[in-house]
């Protein structure tokens, strides 16, 4: 979402038509909510305009706000667990048996991008883009480019693209030292409902982390689009990406639990900040077939992803666009996703065992299966104004009871389901810029 290549690829995949003389403005608001967890509201406005040179310019601005509770990575326990936030100003308690969720999660994001589409003769086209995204604790700057070339009487299109970004991570409380204890928690030396005091005797205290860290991301894409017959088009893309720098989530922690031979097996002794490798290589293959069936359009796509963290995943995506007359279109959608965990994913660490170099309990890099069900409706008025409404339901499920669980870890749900509703409303209309 934040990468320019994704945006540029999106231009290819959605087959934005050639620049219209009038241009177009589109506005969309998305409400995303996970019951009892995170809620986000995102508003995006974008506009396009044809240039005298024959190319076109696209501008997009996005604002989103997030609030709610996010899983910290700690395990449930038989006692009340109390945590303090990175700033030291907020603390929260988790009831026995419940999954620790950090309710202090709040953020805002402003993002903007510009894409210049320029024809290179009759058969080629270049897209050049730049983007910026700013959050309270995160800044991303990027550029991207895609070149396409039509062949065989425009029945074949080749594409090659890249994106480069430089991000700065500056979390509240600073960058924590990897695999060191989280202060201000009930699993430190002072077990029980009271959390640890600072040196000056105040509650909480947060952390005194290091300065901001950076990470660099480079992605490359090659693609082929082929017209198979009068009603069918196929697309195949290969992408390869490299990330380096600070790739750890500074807010995620793991529980260090008592071993099976200690007094309270499975109960947390400490909470440690996670640590991830500082390099990652990602690859994916994407195939898509789109076919007209009468007045309907059916689209099926499959994506296989793998990376140097041993994560590999498969995604199957199905769409069917059905028209009611000339102005209304309904598109049901189904997506199924399965992911195998990173090689350093650990739901918890055990006291007395050698700490690994890298460890994370972030469920997003664990093994899980997720399904998305949705439908979108579009109605176009005589004036050209288009109204859009879409709704999706997302359900993610993992292994709630790993076979190596012991003591108090047997029974609680160690990988609770994550569900979410996404509601999207929007409009688009043609405009005369100047």
């Amino acid at each position: 979402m934040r990468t320019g290549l994704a945006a540029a690829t999106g231009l290819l995949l959605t087959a934005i038509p050639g620049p219209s003389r009038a241009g177009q403005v589109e506005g969309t608001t998305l409400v995303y909510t996970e019951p009892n967890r995170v809620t986000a509201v995102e508003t995006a406005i974008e506009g396009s305009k044809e240039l005298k040179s024959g190319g076109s310019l696209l501008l997009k601005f996005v604002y989103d706000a997030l609030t709610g509770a996010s899983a910290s990575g700690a395990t449930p326990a038989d006692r009340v667990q109390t945590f303090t936030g990175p700033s030291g100003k907020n603390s929260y308690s988790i009831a026995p048996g419940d999954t620790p969720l950090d309710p202090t999660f709040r953020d805002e994001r402003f993002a903007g991008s510009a894409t210049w589409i320029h024809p290179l003769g009759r058969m080629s086209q270049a897209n050049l883009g730049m983007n910026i995204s700013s959050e309270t604790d995160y800044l991303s700057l990027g550029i991207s480019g895609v070149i396409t070339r039509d062949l065989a009487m425009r029945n074949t299109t080749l594409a090659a693209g890249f994106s480069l970004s430089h991000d700065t991570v500056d979390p509240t409380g600073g960058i924590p030292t990897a695999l060191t204890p989280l202060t201000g928690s009930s699993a430190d030396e002072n077990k029980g409902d009271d959390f640890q005091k600072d040196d000056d005797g105040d509650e909480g205290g947060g952390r005194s982390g290091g300065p901001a860290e950076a990470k660099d991301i480079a992605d490359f894409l090659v693609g082929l689009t082929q017209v198979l017959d009068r009603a069918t088009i196929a697309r195949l893309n290969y992408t390869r990406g490299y990330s380096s720098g600070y790739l750890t989530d500074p807010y995620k922690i793991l529980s260090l639990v008592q071993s099976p031979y200690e007094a309270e097996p499975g109960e947390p002794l400490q909470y440690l900040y996670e640590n991830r490798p500082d390099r990652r290589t990602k690859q994916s293959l994407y195939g898509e077939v789109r076919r007209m069936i009468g007045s309907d359009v059916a689209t099926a796509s499959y994506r296989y992803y793998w990376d140097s963290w041993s994560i590999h995943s498969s995604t199957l995506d199905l769409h069917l666009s059905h028209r009611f007359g000339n102005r209304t279109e309904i598109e049901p959608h189904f997506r199924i996703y399965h992911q195998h965990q990173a090689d350093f994913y650990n739901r918890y660490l055990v006291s007395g065992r050698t700490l690994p170099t890298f460890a994370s309990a972030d469920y997003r890099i664990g093994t899980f299966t997720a399904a998305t069900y949705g439908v979108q409706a579009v109605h176009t008025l005589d004036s050209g104004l288009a109204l859009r409404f879409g709704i999706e339901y997302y359900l993610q499920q993992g292994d709630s009871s790993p076979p190596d669980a012991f003591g108090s870890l047997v029974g609680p749900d160690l990988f609770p389901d994550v569900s979410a509703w996404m509601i999207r409303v929007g409009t688009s209309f043609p405009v005369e810029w100047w």
Side-chain angles (χ1 to χ4, degrees):
M1 182 173 173
R2 291 171 176 156
T3 65
L5 183 59
T9 304
L11 292 177
L12 293 175
L13 297 181
T14 54
I16 283 182
S20 74
R21 289 292 177 184
Q24 179 171 283
V25 170
E26 181 172 343
T28 304
T29 295
L30 167 68
V31 178
Y32 173 95
T33 182
E34 298 175 3
N36 302 318
R37 293 198 178 192
V38 174
T39 295
V41 178
E42 177 184 283
T43 298
I45 298 176
E46 57 183 297
S48 62
K49 180 187 184 301
E50 183 185 3
L51 304 175
K52 292 181 179 179
S53 61
S56 60
L57 179 66
L58 286 79
L59 299 176
K60 183 175 183 179
F61 302 94
V62 178
Y63 168 77
D64 55 46
L66 302 89
T67 186
S70 175
S72 66
T75 55
D78 283 345
R79 69 167 72 94
V80 173
Q81 302 184 83
T82 303
F83 303 86
T84 188
S87 68
K89 297 179 180 178
N90 301 306
S91 64
Y92 58 95
S93 297
I94 303 299
D98 286 355
T99 298
L101 301 176
D102 181 355
T104 63
F105 181 45
R106 291 178 178 78
D107 208 346
E108 290 181 307
R109 184 173 72 98
F110 299 88
S113 64
T115 302
W116 177 46
I117 303 173
H118 184 71
L120 302 173
R122 291 190 309 109
M123 308 298 282
S124 301
Q125 177 176 281
N127 297 355
L128 298 175
M130 57 186 299
N131 60 276
I132 180 172
S133 176
S134 176
E135 303 172 40
T136 306
D137 53 5
Y138 200 93
L139 176 65
S140 178
L141 303 171
I143 59 172
S144 62
V146 175
I147 292 180
T148 61
R149 173 74 175 177
D150 293 330
L151 303 171
M153 302 179 65
R154 297 187 184 274
N155 288 319
T156 302
T157 300
L158 302 177
F162 76 95
S163 75
L164 305 172
S165 67
H166 178 77
D167 300 351
T168 302
V169 186
D170 188 13
T172 302
I175 297 288
T177 302
L179 301 180
T180 60
L182 168 72
T183 59
S185 66
S186 62
D188 286 323
E189 297 176 358
N190 302 323
K191 296 178 182 177
D193 294 346
D194 296 329
F195 54 90
Q196 192 175 21
K197 309 288 186 181
D198 282 337
D199 293 340
D200 61 5
D202 294 335
E203 291 180 335
R207 65 190 186 209
S208 299
E213 295 272 6
K215 66 178 179 182
D216 297 298
I217 303 171
D219 292 311
F220 303 93
L221 172 147
V222 291
L224 167 68
T225 302
Q226 179 65 51
V227 176
L228 301 180
D229 57 38
R230 294 175 59 87
T232 310
I233 187 169
R235 177 174 293 114
L236 180 66
N237 287 343
Y238 168 76
T239 61
R240 187 179 180 93
Y242 305 91
S243 303
S244 62
Y246 187 76
L247 305 182
T248 296
D249 188 324
Y251 300 115
K252 296 300 184 186
I253 59 176
L254 303 95
S255 296
L256 178 66
V257 303
Q258 298 185 45
S259 74
Y261 311 105
E262 295 180 86
E264 299 175 294
E267 285 295 282
L269 286 171
Q270 289 181 320
Y271 308 106
L272 307 181
Y273 291 108
E274 69 157 46
N275 189 34
R276 307 185 190 193
D278 60 3
R279 293 185 181 277
R280 188 180 191 182
T281 301
K282 302 175 289 184
Q283 299 180 76
S284 70
L285 275 173
Y286 174 87
E288 176 186 302
V289 176
R290 183 172 302 184
R291 180 172 178 81
M292 289 197 66
I293 305 173
S295 61
D296 298 342
V297 178
T299 304
S301 66
Y302 174 80
R303 178 178 181 262
Y304 182 73
Y305 167 93
W306 68 103
D307 66 24
S308 59
W309 289 0
S310 297
I311 294 176
H312 53 88
S313 66
S314 295
T315 308
L316 176 66
D317 212 342
L318 302 173
H319 293 255
L320 178 64
S321 177
H322 179 74
R323 300 190 70 86
F324 294 88
N326 295 324
R327 301 194 180 281
T328 304
E329 181 179 323
I330 303 292
E331 183 174 316
H333 165 219
F334 173 71
R335 178 178 182 262
I336 185 76
Y337 174 85
H338 179 74
Q339 172 180 294
H340 183 271
Q341 67 188 38
D343 52 15
F344 54 88
Y345 174 78
N346 288 278
R347 188 61 188 89
Y348 48 82
L349 301 175
V350 180
S351 170
R353 299 178 184 174
T354 302
L355 287 179
T357 303
F358 304 110
S360 173
D362 189 343
Y363 69 92
R364 295 171 298 182
I365 60 171
T367 296
F368 66 85
T369 300
T372 304
Y373 312 85
V375 62
Q376 176 179 261
V378 181
H379 182 74
T380 305
L381 306 178
D382 290 340
S383 62
L385 177 71
L387 305 174
R388 292 182 172 83
F389 175 81
I391 184 169
E392 290 183 310
Y393 176 72
Y394 171 86
L395 178 61
Q396 179 189 103
Q397 297 175 301
D399 188 353
S400 61
S401 182
D404 59 350
F406 58 89
S408 64
L409 298 172
V410 178
D413 191 344
L414 297 183
F415 202 117
D417 294 351
V418 177
S419 62
W421 286 97
M422 290 158 279
I423 298 174
R424 184 179 288 105
V425 294
T427 184
S428 62
F429 50 90
V431 294
E432 293 286 348
W433 289 106
W434 57 79

